[in-house]
Amino acid sequence: MPNRKASRNAYYFFVQEKIPELRRRGLPVARVADAVPYCSADWALLGQDEKEKYADMARAWRAAQGKESGPPEQQKPVCTPLRKPGPLVPKPSVSPPDVSGLSLKSDQALLGGVFYFLNIFSHGELPPHCAQRFLPCEIGCVRYSLQEGITADFHSFINPGEIPRGFRFHCQAASDSSHKIPISNFERSCDQATVLRNLYRFIRPHPGSWPPIYCKSDDRARVNWCLKHMERGSETRQDLELLAVEDLVVGIYQQKFLKEPSKTWVRSLLDVAMWDYSSNTRCGWHEENDTLCCALAVCKKAAYCISNSLATLFGIQLTEAHVPLQDYEASSRVTPKMVILDAGRYQKLRCESPGFSHFTSSHQEPRAHAATGDRSAGVKMAGPASHARGRGITRLLESSSSPSGHAPRFAAGCEAAFPPPVAPKEGYSPFPPLPQ
């Protein structure tokens, strides 16, 4: 299809006007396309007169670009005489390109290519009027190839330096809601100059050209700013070029199948939760504190997703370097949500009884039992042998059957818990008489 020049409508200028306000609110808005999801509700609330203002801006822009519809007043349309139609000639059919005809050399070059995935976390984002927009606190990077998977990783905590005056609470709240890294007096953090030198040594161990470095498009602005800020403090200038990992996926897919995938499919491929609790994904500190947000985990999960979706298309057998195999095999039987629910609540039960499984626990036992002692028929009371706390009616039974003896216990027919019914008086009717 021929390349069409981008056009701008009234909604485009409305979104463009809203970008400064969205940035003041701390939203990650770098261009108009990023601000579109945040402005649709405000646009729907505008009246027709208010929208006309932006429509005039769009018409003025199209007129300046020579895109105004209709011929100019000085130029009249040229009428061409009709011609006699000739015989129809069938066009030769064009078959789609054969995927099997791709050269082996290009595939091997792609499989052997080495990529680096990088991410830097910050203690929140400061307002635009501040000279320091971010406070870098953690960095993660992995070396990856389709053929070998993750071959090496780099991780370090960063000393953010002095926090700007008046923003300590803002930075602390941002940290508590995400990566939970302490904003000061963190014993594992290193100075920014040392971290930057170690990162450059990891990415380029030998003199030569820099390999391609990728990060997610939503994080590029933050990672770029943090790198430049750390370079100013260490007096090191390298000017690394950060590429979007979404473009890498599009390039691999396009080279293999000769067609471009949709951006929505690429984003859904990279934004998955099935690797959040996988082993050897987060750094040691986040693993000990059971925190999901980790800069190293973001890089590793990007590599896992690419291996899971694209490496198999090249006939590569997945190994532990490509994906966590034990979690990869379990994902075909248990959904990620089930793994997350199983991670915390039933760990103690599994330690106490190795054969325990909450999918075949006492919740699935037959519920019809004969009444024994003071237990009600069909109700399983929570006794000393029970490990999991019940819900609903079971909690009510637990509270009512306290060992102090003051609270009434539920007998076989539950007569002790409720007073006997009172017989209605003679001549009493619960409903008023119908009118004659």
Side-chain angles (χ1 to χ4, degrees), residues 266-376:
V266 174
R267 287 181 177 271
S268 63
L269 182 148
L270 296 173
D271 295 336
V272 296
M274 65 181 300
W275 315 110
D276 286 350
Y277 291 89
S278 300
S279 57
N280 196 26
T281 300
R282 296 171 286 181
C283 69
W285 188 85
H286 283 106
E287 189 76 30
E288 293 172 1
N289 292 273
D290 196 18
T291 305
L292 290 180
C293 294
C294 174
L296 182 61
V298 172
C299 302
K300 286 190 174 182
K301 286 190 290 185
Y304 294 160
C305 294
I306 293 177
S307 300
N308 183 35
S309 302
L310 299 178
T312 54
L313 301 178
F314 293 88
I316 299 175
Q317 185 177 3
L318 298 181
T319 63
E320 285 285 352
H322 291 92
V323 293
L325 287 183
Q326 55 181 3
D327 302 315
Y328 182 78
E329 295 171 356
S331 64
S332 60
R333 302 188 300 269
V334 183
T335 62
K337 291 184 178 180
M338 295 165 69
V339 174
I340 293 173
L341 289 175
D342 187 47
R345 184 175 177 184
Y346 295 94
Q347 283 183 356
K348 183 177 179 181
L349 297 177
R350 286 192 171 186
C351 294
E352 294 176 355
S353 54
F356 173 79
S357 175
H358 70 278
F359 297 107
T360 58
S361 61
S362 60
H363 297 287
Q364 298 180 359
E365 294 179 358
R367 303 185 65 175
H369 298 281
T372 58
D374 59 346
R375 294 184 181 180
S376 175

